[in-house]
Amino acid sequence: NAGVTQTPKFRVLKTGQSMTLLCAQDMNHEYMYWYRQDPGMGLRLIHYSVGEGTTAKGEVPDGYNVSRLKKQNFLLGLESAAPSQTSVYFCASRLRTGIQEGNEKLFFGSGTQLSVL
Amino acid sequence: QQPVQSPQAVILREGEDAVINCSSSKALYSVHWYRQKHGEAPVFLMILLKGGEQKGHDKISASFNEKKQQSSLYLTASQLSYSGTYFCGTGSTGGFKTIFGAGTRLFVKA
């Protein structure tokens, strides 16, 4: 049971280059999320999706785009990478553990360490 | 808006207790707690829902006071394995997202 899988695990980019991070989950979860983690700032939500074909902005969406063409996949794109996007990126999917709103938990992937030079 | 966690960091000796606080300026429906070991992904600990409930997970428990928009995580008789960064995440009524605090780094030494 793979859970949430992120690829690649590490990447180094030059300023201005583009790349796509892939997140795949095999748990049939409806909701998926992209977070970035920076020292002292915790996990900040970039974009999220509540179902196939839908996406929405989180706290820090600028400079990123996402797509959810298939339920199991959530892609995060950087069109023109900047040094400020150096970070660890985590994908997560959400299991609804009860019928009460808010009663859910997140499953995280192992993260992608991205450096932009 | 991110919830505020305190303290930012804490160092304990094995067997000591600690409290980590989480507060929000927005009305909360739920509070989540996660722990992240160095170099690993965050792992779910527990969820507390509106209603002022208290939960436990081994020797780790938490409370949620929705009127004060606060939650606290209690770690008793700490073990070396408790070391890591603890995050609180908050959910609001009608929302689909979890917003996390900046984290509290906990280090337990022998």
Side-chain angles (χ1 to χ4, degrees):
Chain A
N1 191 355
V4 179
T5 303
Q6 290 183 234
T7 53
K9 294 191 184 300
F10 304 94
R11 186 73 186 266
V12 178
L13 291 178
K14 293 182 179 179
T15 298
Q17 287 184 319
S18 63
M19 77 161 294
T20 300
L21 280 67
L22 172 64
C23 177
Q25 52 98 0
D26 62 1
M27 297 174 283
N28 202 34
H29 289 173
E30 287 293 334
Y31 304 149
M32 296 186 73
Y33 305 84
W34 276 107
Y35 289 90
R36 61 177 289 175
Q37 184 173 26
D38 304 289
M41 306 196 72
L43 295 156
R44 292 183 293 167
L45 182 63
I46 305 171
H47 285 282
Y48 63 103
S49 168
V50 299
E52 183 177 315
T54 73
T55 62
K57 294 180 180 180
E59 302 170 275
V60 288
D62 294 343
Y64 305 95
N65 56 75
V66 288
S67 64
R68 184 101 181 267
L69 299 179
K70 293 183 179 181
K71 186 177 182 179
Q72 63 267 33
N73 296 334
F74 194 29
L75 278 63
L76 177 71
L78 287 74
E79 291 185 346
S80 180
S84 61
Q85 293 178 305
T86 293
S87 186
V88 179
Y89 292 85
F90 285 101
C91 174
S93 68
R94 182 171 122 175
L95 168 71
R96 184 175 288 276
T97 54
I99 61 173
Q100 189 173 4
E101 183 179 4
N103 190 10
E104 69 282 313
K105 65 178 180 179
L106 297 175
F107 291 84
F108 284 87
S110 57
T112 296
Q113 173 71 60
L114 175 67
S115 295
V116 183
L117 305 178
Chain B
Q1 192 168 1
Q2 278 188 306
V4 177
Q5 287 186 235
S6 62
Q8 289 184 318
V10 59
I11 300 174
L12 298 173
R13 289 191 182 276
E14 221 174 348
E16 290 183 337
D17 302 339
V19 180
I20 300 172
N21 299 303
C22 175
S23 64
S24 174
S25 58
K26 295 177 65 175
L28 300 176
Y29 199 90
S30 63
V31 177
H32 308 207
W33 286 96
Y34 288 78
R35 178 169 63 202
Q36 183 181 33
K37 300 278 189 177
H38 182 69
E40 299 180 6
V43 174
F44 171 80
L45 289 176
M46 65 188 78
I47 289 178
L48 299 103
L49 303 176
K50 192 173 181 179
E53 68 173 315
Q54 197 149 355
K55 274 193 171 181
H57 175 78
D58 193 11
K59 291 182 179 178
I60 300 174
S61 62
S63 62
F64 176 30
N65 185 326
E66 72 268 23
K67 288 185 179 179
K68 292 185 177 180
Q69 296 166 193
Q70 293 176 345
S71 177
S72 294
L73 187 71
Y74 307 94
L75 299 98
T76 58
S78 59
Q79 306 167 16
L80 296 176
S81 62
Y82 285 2
S83 293
T85 301
Y86 290 78
F87 293 99
C88 71
T90 56
S92 302
T93 303
F96 299 101
K97 53 192 179 182
T98 303
I99 303 300
F100 288 94
T104 295
R105 296 180 66 181
L106 181 79
F107 179 70
V108 181
K109 56 184 181 180

